[in-house]
Amino acid sequence: MLDYATELLAACLIGYAIAALIPSWRALLIAILVALLVTRVHSLRDLLFPQIFAGCSAPCAGFLLGGPLLVATKIGFVTGVLIRGLTLLAQARGISLRSTTAIRVAGGLVAPTLLVIAPEVLEWPPWSML
C-alpha cells in the first residue's frame, strides 16, 4: 500500500503526463474541455464514477474527488497544459523536437516540486473554482 504523499505525487505526475503528451493544439483544447467538464459537472462525475460512491459515505466520496487528490491532479494537468502550450509554440517557431521533448521532461518536475515545497497550495481557494 502506498503512502499518501506518494499517491499525491503520482496523481500529479499522471495529470501532467496526460497534458504534456498530447500531440497537437486541437487535441490539447479538447482535453482541457473534457477535464473541465468531468471535474465541474457533478451529475456527470456521479455517472462516470458510480463504483467509488457505492461503498463510501458522504465524507469519503468528497475526499476522493473533491479533496487533495483531485487538486494534485489538477495542478499536474494545468502545469502540463502550460508546458505543452509553450512547446507547441516553440515547435511552430522551428525549435527541434529533441529540445521540446527536453523541455517537457524538465517541466515534469515543476508540479511535484510545487507540491513538495508548498503543500499549502492544496488548500488554496482558487483551486475550488477549477
Side-chain angles (χ1 to χ4, degrees):
M1 184 65 120
L2 298 175
D3 63 339
Y4 190 63
T6 306
E7 289 177 4
L8 283 174
L9 289 175
C12 187
L13 287 175
I14 289 170
Y16 177 81
I18 289 170
L21 296 176
I22 291 178
S24 70
W25 68 269
R26 289 178 189 96
L28 186 62
L29 183 63
I30 291 170
I32 292 169
L33 293 175
V34 167
L36 283 174
L37 183 71
V38 168
T39 58
R40 284 305 291 165
V41 179
H42 296 289
S43 59
L44 182 63
R45 191 186 308 172
D46 294 338
L47 180 69
L48 290 175
F49 304 110
Q51 71 277 6
I52 292 175
F53 298 109
C56 288
S57 61
C60 175
F63 174 74
L64 289 173
L65 290 176
L69 208 55
L70 183 62
V71 173
T73 307
K74 287 179 185 179
I75 291 170
F77 186 77
V78 169
T79 305
V81 166
L82 293 174
I83 296 293
R84 187 58 182 142
L86 290 174
T87 57
L88 285 171
L89 287 173
Q91 283 178 338
R93 295 278 186 184
I95 294 179
S96 70
L97 182 62
R98 181 181 292 183
S99 298
T100 57
T101 303
I103 292 169
R104 280 189 272 172
V105 169
L109 299 174
V110 173
T113 303
L114 181 65
L115 286 177
V116 170
I117 291 175
E120 64 272 2
V121 77
L122 293 174
E123 286 90 26
W124 194 39
W127 289 111
S128 63
M129 294 185 306
L130 294 177

